Amino acid sequence: MKFGTKAETLELILPVIKSAEVLPQVRLSVKEWNSTCNEIVKKVMKNNWHDIDLIVRSSAINEDSCNQSLAGHFLSIANVKGIENIDKAIRDVIDSFNDNNEENQVFVQPMLKNVILSGVAFSKDPNTGGDYIVINYDDSTGSTSSVTSGSTNNTKVYYHFKEHNKIKDQNLCKVINLVRELEEILQNDSLDIEFAITEEKKIYLLQVRQLCVNNKISHTLELEKNSNLKEALKDIVKKFDQLNIHHPRLYGRKTIFGIMPDWNPAEIIGIRPKNLALSLYKEVITDNIWAYQRDNYGYKNLRSFPLMISFGGLPYIDVRVSFNSFLPAALEDNLSEKLVNYYIDRLIENPSLHDKVEFKIIFSCYTVDIKERIKILLNYDFTEEECIKICDSLRHLTNKIIDGNDGLWKKDIEKINRLEIRRDEIMNSSLDKISKIYWLLEDCKRYGTLPFAGLARAGFIAVQMLKSLVSIGVLSKIDYENFMGDLDTVSSNMANDFKNLSKVAFIEKYGHLRPGTYDVLSSRYDETPDKYFDWNFKEINKSTNKKKFVLSLEQLNSIKELLKQHGLIQDVLGLFDFIKIAIEGREYSKFIFTKSLSDAMYLFKQLGEDNGFNVEECAYSDINIIKTLYSSSKNLKDIFYSSIYSGTRSYEMTKQIVLPPLIVEGEDVWSFNQPSLEPNFITLNNITGKVVFPSESKRLKGSILFIPSADPGYDWIFSHEIVGFVTMYGGMNSHMAIRAGELGIPAVIGAGEVLYNKWKLARLIYIDCANKKVEILK
């Protein structure tokens, strides 16, 4: 069966379709309308449609093809009743064609009533070409067009691997059966289908067109790819099952995996990093460093446990390992087991909190509101005595960390300062490139990411302590905003330096930064400075209503009494000194260690180019070849080629795999709903602005910028007078959250894929941080 126009295709399918209903229609061409319009209106009315609501739909000749879709481009008019209104609606739809082609068509159908679920289904992943059925649906508004029109914030997205037959939701099962039947009828596996399901549990086919997929490949390669994808998914399920069983060195009866908890790889390296970025992140942080420093800070010893697991090239945090690492070292075994099980169960109950686990689920430090917060455990079979034990162990741990004289964070600041000296020694030495890369990364781990991990922990405790003073009413939300605005971080210094330093001096200081700290394909500031900065613009964003943070005498006395009541060893000034220095120290240590990391990546790129490999090829290599080359006499070119070849092939599969942000059970690998996250709104301000992206550097002024993730390398955006920004990934304590607070810029951090992809299609949006909402204006 060949595709016709929208209306013709529905007519052809009507006699043969078994899994769905097709509404009756009256179809007409523009030519027919121009010659016999009155007769056509009478024809519509002859169907006993006088007293029912109708819909007048476009069916243009050029509306859909295998190369382009003009879905939503032309007018459709719903809820039309009566002869005069039908006449006007048909004329309006014809006027929307704008090409004077008399072969264009319009068709009229009854309006579908009592809709409980509607949406669009793709028989192939439109983004990757992967062998998934992807269903975008709305089950809350009762509209048949809410998904296609973008008129709802409640759109849900469901992924289902085609060869998997278990489908839990009966309504979605109906949609999948419809997709499969249409593929058979049309002998086409790239379909875009509109559907609706009514209260009577009937599914209606509203439209089917060819899906425009950019990465077309031959049928033979398609079969091979899909077969390999199935095997890759089987391997992921097998690995999940292996890691999910009881482990004698871990508390907790099971685990789950997420892309955002703890060291949130989705924000730092993305959900599909190339092999160099993935291996670098594992090497300098998530394989060993993270656990060493957490152990040093008084938590359970998780050394030798990798925190991040690669599922087909997609990075996930082992949540059970992470939750174990937040247990105070002194906490007894039985209570530790009970607590980890509670944490995991709570996250399964509330998957939208997977980027907020330390704020919303776990207890990783002592705060002045903890005795109130920990009462929630009493609802989950914990005793008051157990709650006291948890609080006591957290108090001991926290006092050790925040100590003004012997606090671990002070030693970490001293250690990070040694890294810059050692970096200069390596870079100025006569060592070969392999040796320089090797030692830059070794020093980066020992004197960079190790103390950074400690300062990141101190920074988190600092923010938690500050937020706890707000939660009990000693500080206001405005006080919190003012404190964050008073911070003196690398980022705020960068803003001032951009205004006051020469271009040469500025690049000398900040040139090592790049958007995507671990991505060798992202150029450094000093490689393409004009791409990132407008050197003619020297006025930096300043919040007009920013006020200095000052404690009143009443607040000071209240906090003094609180510290005494809770057995915290710091005095008031010492506490705020710790909070300020810890947050600033985290940002400073990140700035310093990324110099060594960035230089190592730059030399790695040069090493590849010296041996005939371009930077795109180098991105597929594994950083661990440097250890091999440093410790052996193996042929450099052979090692490089083998690593690139392996990385390139594996990444072809990585691009096809789609997984949920939180994997709770093995079955989730085959089919899942993409959950909406709870975004983090920064500041209490509101703003309206046009939607732009980093590549549109000339349009950034006065705009709301959309970026998938945001690490320190994105600080260049603040030199362009943006009024707000939105990220797909990120937490409330991330670098860009701190940065937005400093500048008083409204930001939505960690919107998640569903909301981010919806909002980015708008031209103008309104962000209201105080009320935690985003509105599409046009």
Side-chain angles (χ1 to χ4, degrees):
M1 184 180 292
K2 293 183 178 180
F3 285 93
T5 63
K6 184 193 303 183
E8 290 169 349
T9 303
L10 287 174
E11 278 187 355
L12 290 168
I13 288 173
L14 175 61
V16 295
I17 191 80
K18 296 179 181 178
S19 61
E21 306 279 337
V22 178
L23 291 166
Q25 61 167 279
V26 172
R27 173 168 55 89
L28 57 120
S29 68
V30 174
K31 184 177 181 179
E32 290 170 328
W33 176 259
N34 289 336
S35 60
T36 58
C37 59
N38 291 331
E39 293 302 316
I40 289 173
V41 172
K42 290 179 182 178
K43 183 179 177 182
V44 171
M45 293 296 106
K46 282 183 180 179
N47 286 336
N48 294 319
W49 289 352
H50 294 82
D51 299 321
I52 65 171
D53 288 334
L54 303 174
I55 182 168
V56 181
R57 305 176 64 189
S58 65
S59 184
I61 297 297
N62 65 339
E63 191 160 349
D64 301 302
S65 71
C66 59
N67 297 316
Q68 72 166 353
S69 172
L70 295 178
H73 189 75
F74 304 116
L75 195 62
S76 287
I77 301 175
N79 298 308
V80 181
K81 185 184 290 186
I83 291 178
E84 289 184 3
N85 292 327
I86 287 290
D87 183 285
K88 183 179 185 306
I90 292 174
R91 294 180 189 277
D92 288 344
V93 172
I94 290 174
D95 287 344
S96 73
F97 293 145
N98 293 322
D99 63 357
N100 297 317
N101 187 340
E102 290 197 325
E103 298 304 314
N104 285 331
Q105 300 169 353
V106 175
F107 66 115
V108 184
Q109 293 178 299
M111 280 290 295
L112 199 57
K113 300 295 184 180
N114 303 320
V115 173
I116 61 170
L117 186 149
S118 66
V120 176
F122 304 114
S123 63
K124 189 176 287 185
D125 186 339
N127 297 314
T128 68
D131 202 26
Y132 292 89
I133 294 172
V134 184
I135 306 173
N136 294 264
Y137 67 99
D138 166 27
D139 59 3
S140 62
T141 66
S143 168
T144 59
S145 62
S146 58
V147 171
T148 53
S149 66
S151 62
T152 176
N153 278 332
N154 298 317
T155 302
K156 298 178 181 178
V157 183
Y158 179 76
Y159 284 85
H160 181 81
F161 182 65
K162 277 188 174 180
E163 295 186 43
H164 188 62
N165 291 319
K166 291 183 181 179
I167 307 163
K168 296 178 182 177
D169 188 292
Q170 291 305 305
N171 284 327
L172 296 180
C173 184
K174 286 182 170 66
V175 180
I176 290 169
N177 289 336
L178 172 60
V179 171
R180 289 170 173 165
E181 185 182 7
L182 287 171
E183 284 184 317
E184 185 67 26
I185 291 172
L186 295 164
Q187 289 296 290
N188 189 311
D189 66 352
S190 298
L191 301 176
D192 176 346
I193 300 157
E194 290 185 31
F195 66 89
I197 299 176
T198 63
E199 289 178 354
E200 296 77 23
K201 303 300 182 183
K202 288 184 178 181
I203 182 169
Y204 288 82
L205 173 64
L206 304 180
Q207 181 172 334
V208 57
R209 61 168 76 93
Q210 295 184 79
L211 174 65
C212 300
V213 179
N214 293 323
N215 54 342
K216 291 183 179 179
I217 57 178
S218 70
H219 182 64
T220 303
L221 288 176
E222 180 83 13
L223 292 175
E224 179 184 347
K225 179 194 73 177
N226 292 338
S227 175
N228 291 339
L229 177 57
K230 184 176 182 179
E231 292 305 312
L233 295 179
K234 283 182 178 179
D235 289 341
I236 293 171
V237 174
K238 181 179 179 181
K239 187 63 182 176
F240 175 90
D241 291 341
Q242 290 171 345
L243 294 171
N244 194 39
I245 64 171
H246 173 72
H247 193 292
R249 301 286 185 272
L250 288 173
Y251 301 108
R253 60 181 174 270
K254 64 167 292 177
T255 190
I256 51 182
F257 293 87
I259 61 174
M260 281 300 296
D262 216 343
W263 282 92
N264 45 34
E267 179 185 9
I268 305 302
I269 57 175
I271 60 172
R272 289 187 183 85
K274 292 185 172 65
N275 206 28
L276 182 61
L278 180 65
S279 60
L280 269 170
Y281 197 50
K282 287 171 65 68
E283 175 67 17
V284 301
I285 291 180
T286 66
D287 273 356
N288 295 297
I289 295 300
W290 77 280
Y292 273 62
Q293 197 63 322
R294 211 157 278 178
D295 179 26
N296 292 342
Y297 267 59
Y299 296 94
K300 297 285 188 185
N301 182 358
L302 272 294
R303 299 187 185 202
S304 300
F305 279 99
L307 179 65
M308 187 171 73
I309 304 297
S310 170
F311 287 137
L314 280 68
Y316 277 79
I317 295 300
D318 186 331
V319 175
R320 177 170 57 178
V321 169
S322 170
F323 285 170
N324 271 259
S325 76
F326 286 121
L327 297 170
L331 199 64
E332 61 190 47
D333 290 345
N334 290 340
L335 189 49
S336 295
E337 174 75 16
K338 192 173 181 179
L339 204 51
V340 170
N341 285 329
Y342 162 77
Y343 291 155
I344 290 173
D345 290 343
R346 281 292 309 282
L347 183 53
I348 292 172
E349 291 171 9
N350 302 276
S352 65
L353 300 181
H354 80 131
D355 63 333
K356 305 175 183 67
V357 290
E358 279 198 75
F359 287 97
K360 300 288 188 177
I361 293 179
I362 69 175
F363 304 99
S364 63
C365 64
Y366 194 93
T367 57
V368 293
D369 65 348
I370 193 169
K371 290 182 179 179
E372 191 62 34
R373 289 192 298 118
I374 209 164
K375 286 181 180 178
I376 191 173
L377 296 182
L378 299 175
N379 299 326
Y380 293 88
D381 297 324
F382 285 80
T383 66
E384 289 189 8
E385 182 183 0
E386 288 173 328
C387 291
I388 291 171
K389 286 182 179 179
I390 295 169
C391 287
D392 288 345
S393 62
L394 288 172
R395 182 190 296 108
H396 174 75
L397 176 149
T398 303
N399 274 331
K400 184 179 176 182
I401 293 173
I402 69 174
D403 190 302
N405 297 316
D406 300 317
L408 295 166
W409 54 280
K410 286 200 167 187
K411 296 174 184 176
D412 282 333
I413 288 177
E414 293 171 5
K415 188 178 286 188
I416 200 78
N417 287 328
R418 295 171 61 186
L419 178 61
E420 195 144 27
I421 298 171
R422 296 178 70 90
R423 168 187 160 271
D424 289 341
E425 289 174 348
I426 295 297
M427 293 300 292
N428 295 326
S429 73
S430 57
L431 291 172
D432 62 279
K433 285 190 177 77
I434 292 172
S435 298
K436 284 184 177 181
I437 296 168
Y438 177 83
W439 284 108
L440 281 170
L441 291 177
E442 286 299 304
D443 283 349
C444 183
K445 290 186 290 184
R446 190 171 293 108
Y447 298 97
T449 54
L450 186 63
F452 165 67
L455 289 165
R457 176 92 324 249
F460 174 82
I461 292 172
V463 172
Q464 278 279 71
M465 194 69 73
L466 199 62
K467 284 181 177 290
S468 72
L469 291 170
V470 175
S471 73
I472 64 173
V474 174
L475 297 181
S476 68
K477 291 182 178 180
I478 298 296
D479 289 329
Y480 178 86
E481 298 293 329
N482 291 340
F483 182 90
M484 300 303 285
D486 264 356
L487 293 173
D488 182 24
T489 66
V490 170
S491 298
S492 56
N493 290 333
M494 179 179 171
N496 292 326
D497 286 342
F498 180 75
K499 182 177 180 180
N500 298 315
L501 294 180
S502 68
K503 178 179 177 179
V504 172
F506 180 84
I507 292 300
E508 175 68 25
K509 185 172 181 179
Y510 298 100
H512 70 280
L513 295 173
R514 67 175 93 215
T517 300
Y518 296 82
D519 184 4
V520 73
L521 296 177
S522 176
S523 59
R524 292 165 42 131
Y525 286 0
D526 57 12
E527 290 179 299
T528 55
D530 295 338
K531 171 184 174 182
Y532 297 119
F533 299 100
D534 180 358
W535 303 99
N536 296 317
F537 171 69
K538 290 293 185 178
E539 290 298 323
I540 305 301
N541 282 297
K542 291 291 180 183
S543 178
T544 56
N545 59 353
K546 184 182 290 187
K547 296 181 181 179
K548 283 287 191 181
F549 173 78
V550 179
L551 283 176
S552 69
L553 182 61
E554 182 182 358
Q555 287 174 320
L556 193 147
N557 287 332
S558 295
I559 297 170
K560 180 180 179 181
E561 184 61 28
L562 280 169
L563 295 176
K564 182 179 178 181
Q565 288 176 6
H566 288 273
L568 294 171
I569 61 175
Q570 279 282 20
D571 58 28
V572 178
L573 295 181
L575 175 66
F576 278 89
D577 191 43
F578 160 75
I579 293 173
K580 181 176 172 60
I581 294 175
I583 298 172
E584 293 174 348
R586 183 187 72 167
E587 302 304 305
Y588 172 73
S589 63
K590 187 183 297 183
F591 178 76
I592 296 300
F593 93 71
T594 53
K595 287 185 179 181
S596 295
L597 177 64
S598 187
D599 284 346
M601 292 167 63
Y602 183 77
L603 289 172
F604 189 87
K605 180 180 73 170
Q606 284 190 331
L607 185 67
E609 291 172 342
D610 291 345
N611 288 274
F613 305 108
N614 60 40
V615 65
E616 287 78 14
E617 292 170 321
C618 290
Y620 292 105
S621 186
D622 190 312
I623 195 60
N624 287 300
I625 66 171
I626 293 299
K627 290 181 181 179
T628 301
L629 293 170
Y630 183 77
S631 60
S632 73
S633 61
K634 292 182 177 180
N635 184 273
L636 187 156
K637 202 164 189 175
D638 289 346
I639 296 293
F640 231 119
Y641 175 80
S642 178
S643 182
I644 290 170
Y645 178 77
S646 174
T648 303
R649 282 186 62 85
S650 64
Y651 194 72
E652 286 304 307
M653 182 54 60
T654 298
K655 289 191 297 184
Q656 305 302 319
I657 296 172
V658 184
L659 297 175
L662 201 68
I663 304 176
V664 175
E665 54 186 43
E667 191 69 20
D668 294 342
V669 171
W670 302 106
S671 59
F672 60 91
N673 268 299
Q674 189 76 268
S676 295
L677 301 184
E678 292 184 12
N680 303 289
F681 288 84
I682 310 302
T683 79
L684 299 175
N685 303 329
N686 60 76
I687 198 72
T688 298
K690 60 183 181 292
V691 172
V692 300
F693 303 92
S695 59
E696 303 172 279
S697 58
K698 293 183 179 179
R699 296 183 63 231
L700 294 182
K701 184 176 180 180
S703 72
I704 295 175
L705 181 66
F706 274 63
I707 38 181
S709 60
D711 60 23
Y714 277 95
D715 275 358
W716 64 273
I717 66 178
F718 299 114
S719 71
H720 289 269
E721 276 194 297
I722 62 169
V723 296
F725 64 95
V726 178
T727 74
M728 184 184 297
Y729 301 112
M732 63 174 66
N733 202 34
S734 65
H735 168 84
M736 293 303 274
I738 299 294
R739 191 73 178 102
E742 278 185 276
L743 294 174
I745 295 177
V748 184
I749 306 291
E753 286 190 54
V754 175
L755 290 176
Y756 181 91
N757 289 330
K758 176 183 175 60
W759 295 338
K760 76 175 184 180
L761 298 177
R763 288 180 292 163
L764 191 73
I765 64 171
Y766 169 71
I767 296 175
D768 182 351
C769 292
N771 291 303
K772 299 183 183 298
K773 67 178 183 178
V774 175
E775 292 182 12
I776 294 175
L777 301 181
K778 63 178 180 179

